[in-house]
Short mmCIF file of all heavy atoms in Angstrom, two decimals:
data_model
loop_
_atom_site.label_atom_id
_atom_site.label_comp_id
_atom_site.label_asym_id
_atom_site.label_seq_id
_atom_site.Cartn_x
_atom_site.Cartn_y
_atom_site.Cartn_z
N ALA A 212 39.06 -83.63 -9.36
CA ALA A 212 40.46 -84.03 -9.24
C ALA A 212 41.15 -83.23 -8.14
O ALA A 212 41.94 -83.77 -7.35
CB ALA A 212 41.18 -83.83 -10.57
N TRP A 213 40.86 -81.94 -8.06
CA TRP A 213 41.45 -81.09 -7.01
C TRP A 213 40.96 -81.53 -5.64
O TRP A 213 41.76 -81.66 -4.70
CB TRP A 213 41.08 -79.62 -7.25
CG TRP A 213 41.63 -79.07 -8.52
CD1 TRP A 213 41.16 -79.28 -9.79
CD2 TRP A 213 42.77 -78.22 -8.66
NE1 TRP A 213 41.94 -78.61 -10.70
CE2 TRP A 213 42.93 -77.94 -10.05
CE3 TRP A 213 43.66 -77.65 -7.76
CZ2 TRP A 213 43.95 -77.12 -10.53
CZ3 TRP A 213 44.68 -76.83 -8.24
CH2 TRP A 213 44.82 -76.58 -9.61
N ALA A 214 39.66 -81.75 -5.52
CA ALA A 214 39.11 -82.16 -4.22
C ALA A 214 39.67 -83.50 -3.79
O ALA A 214 40.01 -83.70 -2.62
CB ALA A 214 37.58 -82.21 -4.31
N TYR A 215 39.80 -84.42 -4.75
CA TYR A 215 40.26 -85.77 -4.43
C TYR A 215 41.67 -85.76 -3.85
O TYR A 215 41.91 -86.30 -2.77
CB TYR A 215 40.23 -86.61 -5.71
CG TYR A 215 40.73 -88.02 -5.55
CD1 TYR A 215 39.90 -89.03 -5.05
CD2 TYR A 215 42.04 -88.36 -5.89
CE1 TYR A 215 40.36 -90.34 -4.91
CE2 TYR A 215 42.50 -89.66 -5.76
CZ TYR A 215 41.67 -90.64 -5.26
OH TYR A 215 42.13 -91.92 -5.12
N ILE A 216 42.62 -85.12 -4.54
CA ILE A 216 44.00 -85.18 -4.07
C ILE A 216 44.19 -84.36 -2.79
O ILE A 216 44.96 -84.75 -1.90
CB ILE A 216 44.99 -84.75 -5.17
CG1 ILE A 216 46.42 -85.17 -4.78
CG2 ILE A 216 44.89 -83.27 -5.48
CD1 ILE A 216 47.43 -85.04 -5.91
N CYS A 217 43.48 -83.25 -2.67
CA CYS A 217 43.56 -82.47 -1.44
C CYS A 217 43.08 -83.28 -0.24
O CYS A 217 43.72 -83.30 0.82
CB CYS A 217 42.75 -81.18 -1.57
SG CYS A 217 43.50 -79.91 -2.61
N GLN A 218 41.96 -83.97 -0.40
CA GLN A 218 41.41 -84.76 0.70
C GLN A 218 42.31 -85.92 1.06
O GLN A 218 42.52 -86.22 2.24
CB GLN A 218 40.02 -85.26 0.32
CG GLN A 218 38.97 -84.16 0.26
CD GLN A 218 37.67 -84.62 -0.39
OE1 GLN A 218 37.45 -85.81 -0.61
NE2 GLN A 218 36.81 -83.67 -0.72
N LYS A 219 42.89 -86.58 0.05
CA LYS A 219 43.75 -87.74 0.31
C LYS A 219 45.01 -87.33 1.07
O LYS A 219 45.44 -88.01 2.00
CB LYS A 219 44.11 -88.43 -1.00
CG LYS A 219 42.97 -89.21 -1.63
CD LYS A 219 42.54 -90.37 -0.74
CE LYS A 219 41.51 -91.23 -1.40
NZ LYS A 219 41.09 -92.38 -0.55
N VAL A 220 45.63 -86.23 0.66
CA VAL A 220 46.84 -85.79 1.35
C VAL A 220 46.50 -85.34 2.77
O VAL A 220 47.23 -85.64 3.72
CB VAL A 220 47.53 -84.65 0.57
CG1 VAL A 220 48.69 -84.09 1.37
CG2 VAL A 220 48.02 -85.17 -0.78
N GLN A 221 45.38 -84.63 2.91
CA GLN A 221 45.00 -84.17 4.24
C GLN A 221 44.71 -85.34 5.17
O GLN A 221 45.07 -85.31 6.35
CB GLN A 221 43.77 -83.26 4.13
CG GLN A 221 43.43 -82.51 5.42
CD GLN A 221 42.49 -83.28 6.32
OE1 GLN A 221 41.71 -84.13 5.85
NE2 GLN A 221 42.54 -83.01 7.62
N GLU A 222 44.09 -86.39 4.65
CA GLU A 222 43.84 -87.58 5.47
C GLU A 222 45.15 -88.19 5.96
O GLU A 222 45.27 -88.60 7.11
CB GLU A 222 43.05 -88.62 4.67
CG GLU A 222 41.59 -88.26 4.43
CD GLU A 222 40.92 -89.21 3.46
OE1 GLU A 222 41.55 -90.24 3.10
OE2 GLU A 222 39.78 -88.93 3.03
N CYS A 223 46.13 -88.25 5.07
CA CYS A 223 47.43 -88.81 5.45
C CYS A 223 48.12 -87.91 6.48
O CYS A 223 48.66 -88.39 7.48
CB CYS A 223 48.30 -88.98 4.21
SG CYS A 223 49.93 -89.68 4.58
N GLN A 224 48.09 -86.62 6.23
CA GLN A 224 48.73 -85.69 7.17
C GLN A 224 48.10 -85.81 8.55
O GLN A 224 48.82 -85.86 9.57
CB GLN A 224 48.59 -84.25 6.66
CG GLN A 224 49.31 -83.21 7.49
CD GLN A 224 48.56 -82.77 8.73
OE1 GLN A 224 47.32 -82.70 8.72
NE2 GLN A 224 49.27 -82.47 9.80
N GLN A 225 46.79 -85.89 8.58
CA GLN A 225 46.09 -85.97 9.86
C GLN A 225 46.34 -87.30 10.56
O GLN A 225 46.55 -87.36 11.77
CB GLN A 225 44.60 -85.76 9.64
CG GLN A 225 43.78 -85.66 10.92
CD GLN A 225 42.33 -85.34 10.62
OE1 GLN A 225 41.66 -86.07 9.91
NE2 GLN A 225 41.84 -84.23 11.15
N THR A 226 46.36 -88.39 9.79
CA THR A 226 46.54 -89.72 10.37
C THR A 226 47.92 -89.87 11.01
O THR A 226 48.06 -90.43 12.11
CB THR A 226 46.36 -90.80 9.29
OG1 THR A 226 45.03 -90.71 8.76
CG2 THR A 226 46.59 -92.20 9.86
N TYR A 227 48.94 -89.37 10.32
CA TYR A 227 50.32 -89.61 10.78
C TYR A 227 51.00 -88.38 11.37
O TYR A 227 52.10 -88.48 11.91
CB TYR A 227 51.15 -90.16 9.62
CG TYR A 227 50.60 -91.47 9.12
CD1 TYR A 227 49.91 -91.54 7.90
CD2 TYR A 227 50.69 -92.64 9.87
CE1 TYR A 227 49.38 -92.73 7.45
CE2 TYR A 227 50.16 -93.83 9.42
CZ TYR A 227 49.50 -93.87 8.20
OH TYR A 227 48.96 -95.06 7.76
N ASN A 228 50.34 -87.20 11.25
CA ASN A 228 50.86 -85.98 11.87
C ASN A 228 52.11 -85.46 11.19
O ASN A 228 53.07 -85.03 11.85
CB ASN A 228 51.12 -86.21 13.37
CG ASN A 228 51.16 -84.91 14.16
OD1 ASN A 228 50.62 -83.89 13.74
ND2 ASN A 228 51.82 -84.94 15.31
N PHE A 229 52.11 -85.46 9.86
CA PHE A 229 53.23 -84.89 9.11
C PHE A 229 53.25 -83.37 9.26
O PHE A 229 52.21 -82.73 9.38
CB PHE A 229 53.14 -85.27 7.63
CG PHE A 229 53.61 -86.66 7.34
CD1 PHE A 229 52.71 -87.69 7.11
CD2 PHE A 229 54.97 -86.94 7.30
CE1 PHE A 229 53.14 -88.98 6.83
CE2 PHE A 229 55.42 -88.23 7.02
CZ PHE A 229 54.50 -89.25 6.79
N ASP A 230 54.46 -82.80 9.19
CA ASP A 230 54.65 -81.37 9.42
C ASP A 230 54.80 -80.57 8.15
O ASP A 230 54.56 -79.36 8.15
CB ASP A 230 55.91 -81.15 10.26
CG ASP A 230 55.86 -81.89 11.57
OD1 ASP A 230 54.97 -81.58 12.38
OD2 ASP A 230 56.69 -82.80 11.78
N PHE A 231 55.25 -81.21 7.09
CA PHE A 231 55.43 -80.49 5.83
C PHE A 231 55.34 -81.46 4.68
O PHE A 231 55.36 -82.69 4.86
CB PHE A 231 56.76 -79.72 5.80
CG PHE A 231 58.00 -80.57 5.79
CD1 PHE A 231 58.61 -80.94 4.60
CD2 PHE A 231 58.59 -80.99 6.98
CE1 PHE A 231 59.77 -81.71 4.59
CE2 PHE A 231 59.75 -81.76 6.99
CZ PHE A 231 60.34 -82.12 5.79
N MET A 232 55.23 -80.91 3.50
CA MET A 232 55.22 -81.74 2.30
C MET A 232 56.35 -81.29 1.39
O MET A 232 56.67 -80.10 1.29
CB MET A 232 53.89 -81.64 1.56
CG MET A 232 53.60 -80.30 0.92
SD MET A 232 52.04 -80.34 0.01
CE MET A 232 52.08 -78.75 -0.83
N ARG A 233 57.00 -82.25 0.77
CA ARG A 233 57.93 -81.97 -0.31
C ARG A 233 57.11 -82.13 -1.58
O ARG A 233 56.67 -83.21 -1.93
CB ARG A 233 59.10 -82.94 -0.26
CG ARG A 233 60.18 -82.70 -1.33
CD ARG A 233 59.97 -83.66 -2.45
NE ARG A 233 61.12 -83.72 -3.35
CZ ARG A 233 61.11 -84.40 -4.48
NH1 ARG A 233 60.04 -85.10 -4.85
NH2 ARG A 233 62.16 -84.43 -5.26
N GLY A 234 56.84 -81.03 -2.26
CA GLY A 234 55.99 -81.05 -3.44
C GLY A 234 56.77 -81.49 -4.65
O GLY A 234 57.62 -80.74 -5.16
N ASP A 235 56.51 -82.70 -5.13
CA ASP A 235 57.24 -83.24 -6.27
C ASP A 235 56.87 -82.48 -7.55
O ASP A 235 55.71 -82.16 -7.78
CB ASP A 235 56.91 -84.73 -6.43
CG ASP A 235 57.78 -85.41 -7.47
OD1 ASP A 235 59.01 -85.28 -7.38
OD2 ASP A 235 57.23 -86.08 -8.36
N MET A 236 57.89 -82.20 -8.36
CA MET A 236 57.70 -81.51 -9.64
C MET A 236 56.97 -80.18 -9.47
O MET A 236 56.11 -79.81 -10.26
CB MET A 236 56.98 -82.41 -10.65
CG MET A 236 57.72 -83.71 -10.92
SD MET A 236 57.12 -84.60 -12.36
CE MET A 236 57.90 -83.66 -13.67
N ALA A 237 57.35 -79.45 -8.44
CA ALA A 237 56.72 -78.16 -8.19
C ALA A 237 57.07 -77.12 -9.24
O ALA A 237 56.44 -76.06 -9.31
CB ALA A 237 57.11 -77.66 -6.80
N HIS A 238 58.08 -77.41 -10.06
CA HIS A 238 58.46 -76.47 -11.12
C HIS A 238 57.49 -76.48 -12.29
O HIS A 238 57.59 -75.64 -13.18
CB HIS A 238 59.86 -76.80 -11.64
CG HIS A 238 60.07 -78.25 -11.98
ND1 HIS A 238 59.49 -78.85 -13.06
CD2 HIS A 238 60.78 -79.22 -11.34
CE1 HIS A 238 59.85 -80.12 -13.10
NE2 HIS A 238 60.62 -80.38 -12.07
#
């Protein structure tokens, strides 16, 4: 589960060149 979500977000960041993430429900 950890590997899956990390890889998916990284793919999106790399594809579109996002600079930061707003982490939902970080509390």
Side-chain angles (χ1 to χ4, degrees):
W213 296 77
Y215 178 83
I216 195 168
C217 286
Q218 290 168 12
K219 287 296 186 179
V220 174
Q221 191 270 335
E222 287 171 9
C223 180
Q224 185 279 326
Q225 187 175 58
T226 299
Y227 300 106
N228 201 22
F229 281 103
D230 303 297
F231 66 93
M232 68 177 188
R233 182 261 194 186
D235 188 51
M236 301 194 78
H238 49 71

